[in-house]
Amino acid sequence: MSISRPIPPLPSPDAAVFLDFDGTLVDLARTPDSVVLPPELVPVLRSLHILLDGALAIVTGREVAVVDRYIEPLRLPCAGTHGAQRRDGRGVYISSPATDPTKFVDAIVQLAQDNPSIFMESKKCSIALHYRADPTLETLCLQAMQELLLDHPDWTLVRGKYVVEVLPKGASKGAAIKAFMQEPPFKGRRPFFAGDDLSDESGFGVVRELQGVGIKVGAGMSIARHRIDSVQDFHRWLHKACAQLQAMRKKEVMR
């Protein structure tokens, strides 16, 4: 059931904008490597980054290096692998202490081999099982991951749309946004965060605590106070945000 929520306001020049990637900037696809980035998106992100004086960051389940490849030549501040990796506004790279998921690989590889509809995504700081090709495999994937973590209390489980993932404990999009907000150029600004999935809810919670704007993209329950119906509608919102910020900057220059 979807709850009607107001369209979000546009950011002012003193905003800090945080954006999820899959399901927010790009439509979800059958596998992570088959998403398509619209060609006009990189110029919009570049403009927003300039207009916000650098206070624009990607906060995603993807690895930072993967995001870089999609949005090159941009190198935005970025929290990857749900916050287990982070590149701050100065370009300094920070990683979670518990970052070696290789102990889980053998069991997960076997599960994927036994079930060809499961796609295993191996990252430096996590491992994810995608079952979008066969949603009936949700319980199998969830139980397998839960069993893996029984003897590893320094790791945790995060769920998303047709995906379940093991992460270093303490890593979350909310924690990443909170860290960004304590540093320049984000510090002292009003945060905006747009996301579409369960893993984005921690980010919405932090943004709410900071009197910011949470934007749920697509259907589904959420604590975000604002909603945009689709990725395409969110792209239109980004274009409007750019236009308003440009107009405000021009007006300020003319004073």
Side-chain angles (χ1 to χ4, degrees):
M1 177 180 175
S2 177
I3 295 177
S4 177
R5 298 180 189 271
I7 294 173
L10 296 173
S12 59
D14 63 350
V17 176
F18 302 97
L19 304 173
D20 174 42
F21 190 77
D22 295 277
T24 300
L25 291 180
V26 297
D27 281 307
L28 296 173
R30 185 181 177 90
T31 61
D33 57 358
S34 58
V35 300
V36 177
L37 190 78
E40 71 276 7
L41 192 57
V42 168
V44 171
L45 294 176
R46 180 188 294 111
S47 295
L48 277 174
H49 187 240
I50 294 169
L51 291 164
L52 293 170
D53 297 316
L56 172 71
I58 306 296
V59 181
T60 175
R62 298 270 189 168
E63 292 185 286
V64 172
V66 173
V67 173
D68 286 347
R69 289 199 294 272
Y70 275 106
I71 65 172
E72 61 183 2
L74 295 183
R75 287 295 181 270
L76 299 177
C78 184
T81 322
H82 305 276
Q85 304 174 311
R86 194 166 67 86
R87 182 174 60 218
D88 68 14
R90 301 167 299 165
V92 175
Y93 187 87
I94 304 155
S95 186
S96 172
T99 56
D100 183 11
T102 54
K103 60 176 73 72
F104 307 120
V105 168
D106 290 345
I108 295 178
V109 166
Q110 187 61 53
L111 181 68
Q113 288 177 344
D114 293 342
N115 299 272
S117 293
I118 295 175
F119 177 81
M120 186 189 85
E121 183 184 13
S122 182
K123 311 176 191 179
K124 290 181 180 178
C125 298
S126 75
I127 294 181
L129 288 178
H130 299 262
Y131 50 90
R132 178 172 294 275
D134 185 356
T136 65
L137 294 172
E138 176 181 17
T139 300
L140 177 65
C141 291
L142 182 59
Q143 289 178 345
M145 292 296 225
Q146 288 172 333
E147 289 175 7
L148 286 178
L149 296 186
L150 289 176
D151 298 322
H152 299 282
D154 52 341
W155 291 77
T156 191
L157 197 68
V158 63
R159 299 183 66 180
K161 292 178 179 176
Y162 306 106
V163 61
V164 59
E165 187 167 354
V166 291
L167 290 172
K169 200 162 190 175
S172 74
K173 293 183 179 181
I177 291 173
K178 188 173 290 187
F180 276 126
M181 290 298 295
Q182 295 171 356
E183 307 163 348
F186 304 94
K187 188 174 182 179
R189 291 170 171 262
R190 187 188 188 198
F192 282 62
F193 176 49
D196 73 302
D197 210 344
L198 288 172
S199 63
D200 298 312
E201 293 299 309
S202 64
F204 295 141
V206 167
V207 165
R208 176 178 286 191
E209 290 172 10
L210 298 174
Q211 307 301 309
V213 177
I215 306 168
K216 168 76 171 181
V217 179
M221 299 293 290
S222 176
I223 63 171
R225 290 175 175 161
H226 301 274
R227 186 182 298 274
I228 289 179
D229 289 337
S230 69
V231 169
Q232 291 69 36
D233 287 336
F234 185 64
H235 289 173
R236 285 187 275 273
W237 183 88
L238 289 174
H239 281 280
K240 289 178 182 177
C242 270
Q244 174 169 287
L245 288 167
Q246 287 167 344
M248 294 175 77
R249 176 162 290 193
K250 184 177 180 181
K251 187 179 295 186
E252 187 66 29
V253 170
M254 293 176 65
R255 284 182 180 176

